[in-house]
């Protein structure tokens, strides 16, 4: 089968046509597909700035700027990886549990066919749906979680499924192998001194923003790879891991973070990690400026596809 290609922007202007991620074909035909772009436009798990429901749409819109060749790995991504834009999973605004059910139904045919989902959020509450589906298909997975926050709180306003709880639930439900998982980028003020310790108690290893900036991105990537080894890995990026100067359009910004270049360098040094799924979450376009956060989210998505293409090339 001919691999799907992006519409060539040297032949058709970028502003023409319906914007899919990186101008890839929009289809639900999964025959021969290696990776599928899926939007998760759910944001009623957000305790603060609501609006991440527009994330997938805005990421697709600006992603027409991206090109198929990743020069950092010297790879034509779509030569090795057959990628489609699957569209959005169904959600039910305001009903988190019902949303989980229908999202998981929509993710299941993709994941159970061995296809790698690359999901765009949406707030981090719905990460649990992906973790569940990946876990059901692959068994326990390792997590690389880039975020200013641990998202391991037990409850929020008495609710068990909010944007700050998915990575606790994922361990409790048995999908995440915390002993081979790592959370990177934590910073900022805390509700209690337990906020960080709660992740350690769940079994996670943490690299805080200050430590990451001190040791540098190459060494941070090395420690991440050492932690996850050859295991099947789910990479989760919350856009708030980046400093608000580079990523203002998020739900819960935290000052004093890494630059856009820092996190791109980190991702580009994760070649060889066995990625079975990935997500870019928490883009809140309503607070963005000049689409800089959306462009960065789309670029993170392209880098994640490059990592999957490297896996395929071997
Ligand atoms: Mn966060």
């Amino acid at each position: 089968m001919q691999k799907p290609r992006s519409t060539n922007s040297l032949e058709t202007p970028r502003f023409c046509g319906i914007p899919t991620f990186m101008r890839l074909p929009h289809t639900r035909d999964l025959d021969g597909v290696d990776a599928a772009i899926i939007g998760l436009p759910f944001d009623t798990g957000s305790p603060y700035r609501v609006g991440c429901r527009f994330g997938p749409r805005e990421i697709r819109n600006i992603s027409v700027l991206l090109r198929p060749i990743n020069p950092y790995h010297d790879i034509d991504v779509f030569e090795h990886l057959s990628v489609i834009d699957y569209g959005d999973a169904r959600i039910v605004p305001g009903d988190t549990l019902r949303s989980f059910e229908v999202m998981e139904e929509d993710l299941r045919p993709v994941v159970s066919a061995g296809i790698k989902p690359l999901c765009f959020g949406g707030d981090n509450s719905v990460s649990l749906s992906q973790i569940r589906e990946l876990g059901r298909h692959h068994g326990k997975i390792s997590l690389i979680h880039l975020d200013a926050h641990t998202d391991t709180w037990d409850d929020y306003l008495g609710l068990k499924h909010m944007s700050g709880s998915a990575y606790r639930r994922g361990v409790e439900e048995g999908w995440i192998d915390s002993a081979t998982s790592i959370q990177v980028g934590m910073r900022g003020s805390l509700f209690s001194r337990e906020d960080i310790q709660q992740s350690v108690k769940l079994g996670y290893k943490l690299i805080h923003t200050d430590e990451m900036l001190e040791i540098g991105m190459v060494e941070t990537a090395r420690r991440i790879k050492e932690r996850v080894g050859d295991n099947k890995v789910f990479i989760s990026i919350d856009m708030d891991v980046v400093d608000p100067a580079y990523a203002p359009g998020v739900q819960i910004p935290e000052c004093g973070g890494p630059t856009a270049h820092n996190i791109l360098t980190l991702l580009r040094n994760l070649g060889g990690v066995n990625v079975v799924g990935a997500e870019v979450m928490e883009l809140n376009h309503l607070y963005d400026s000049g689409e800089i956060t959306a462009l960065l989210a789309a670029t993170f998505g392209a880098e994640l596809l490059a990592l999957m293409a490297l896996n395929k090339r071997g």
Side-chain angles (χ1 to χ4, degrees):
M1 187 189 117
Q2 189 77 23
K3 284 195 164 40
R5 296 292 308 186
S6 294
T7 299
N8 187 343
S9 299
L10 294 173
E11 292 167 2
T12 311
R14 290 181 166 105
F15 47 83
C16 297
I18 297 164
T20 56
F21 187 69
M22 291 182 78
R23 311 194 78 187
L24 288 160
H26 169 45
T27 176
R28 294 227 158 174
D29 181 358
L30 297 174
D31 190 30
V33 170
D34 300 311
I37 308 301
I38 305 173
L40 304 177
F42 182 80
D43 65 5
T44 30
S46 304
Y48 193 48
R49 291 170 171 175
V50 178
C52 296
R53 66 182 62 179
F54 301 113
R57 181 167 290 190
E58 297 305 327
I59 290 168
R60 286 189 173 102
N61 206 18
I62 196 73
S63 76
V64 299
L65 287 176
L66 300 169
R67 307 167 189 89
I69 293 177
N70 183 306
Y72 304 94
H73 300 294
D74 189 24
I75 192 168
D76 180 338
V77 172
F78 306 127
E79 186 185 316
H80 297 277
L81 197 71
S82 178
V83 190
I84 56 153
D85 191 328
Y86 191 72
D88 293 340
R90 287 169 297 152
I91 62 112
V92 183
D95 190 335
T96 307
L97 295 181
R98 180 71 190 132
S99 291
F100 283 173
E101 281 176 29
V102 291
M103 264 185 288
E104 287 164 33
E105 280 172 20
D106 285 352
L107 288 165
R108 198 159 303 144
V110 175
V111 177
S112 64
I115 295 165
K116 299 176 181 191
L118 170 58
C119 291
F120 292 115
D123 71 45
N124 261 127
S125 61
V126 295
S127 302
L128 186 59
S129 281
Q130 295 172 80
I131 293 165
R132 282 173 173 169
E133 285 309 314
L134 288 167
R136 281 174 186 133
H137 181 71
H138 293 289
K140 268 188 195 286
I141 49 172
S142 302
L143 171 70
I144 298 173
H145 178 206
L146 310 184
D147 197 325
H149 314 100
T150 55
D151 288 2
T152 51
W153 286 280
D154 186 33
D155 75 273
Y156 225 103
L157 309 166
L159 296 169
K160 292 289 188 184
H161 295 291
M162 293 289 274
S163 64
S165 55
Y167 298 111
R168 169 178 291 273
R169 299 283 99 82
V171 174
E172 288 172 350
E173 293 183 11
W175 311 117
I176 297 172
D177 178 21
S178 58
T180 58
S181 295
I182 189 161
Q183 301 188 292
V184 179
M186 288 74 223
R187 64 179 181 274
S189 55
L190 306 172
F191 293 114
S192 93
R193 288 179 180 79
E194 278 296 293
D195 287 3
I196 298 296
Q197 210 48 37
Q198 68 195 12
S199 273
V200 176
K201 281 182 185 161
L202 282 167
Y204 286 114
K205 178 182 168 68
L206 273 72
I207 299 178
H208 302 245
T209 281
D210 285 356
E211 185 182 359
M212 169 169 59
L213 293 177
E214 178 154 344
I215 64 178
M217 298 306 130
V218 174
E219 173 61 14
T220 301
R222 192 195 64 75
R223 292 186 191 182
I224 291 171
K225 289 169 82 165
E226 188 177 74
R227 178 73 169 176
V228 301
D230 297 327
N231 297 318
K232 293 178 174 179
V233 169
F234 176 60
I235 301 181
S236 170
I237 304 174
D238 179 335
M239 289 307 295
D240 71 31
V241 72
V242 180
D243 191 278
Y246 304 87
V250 298
Q251 188 206 157
I252 301 179
E254 295 290 345
C255 297
T259 65
H261 186 263
N262 285 151
I263 297 299
L264 287 168
T265 304
L266 179 63
L267 292 173
R268 288 165 185 159
N269 278 278
L270 291 179
V273 166
N274 183 12
V275 187
V276 295
E279 64 174 11
V280 182
M281 307 302 278
E282 298 273 344
L283 167 67
N284 191 327
H285 175 71
L286 306 179
Y287 292 84
D288 205 0
S289 180
E291 296 174 275
I292 58 174
T293 318
L295 177 59
L296 186 58
T299 307
F300 286 163
E303 291 295 333
L304 292 165
L305 287 180
L307 293 178
M308 294 176 188
L310 286 176
N311 291 151
K312 193 83 196 298
R313 187 175 70 180

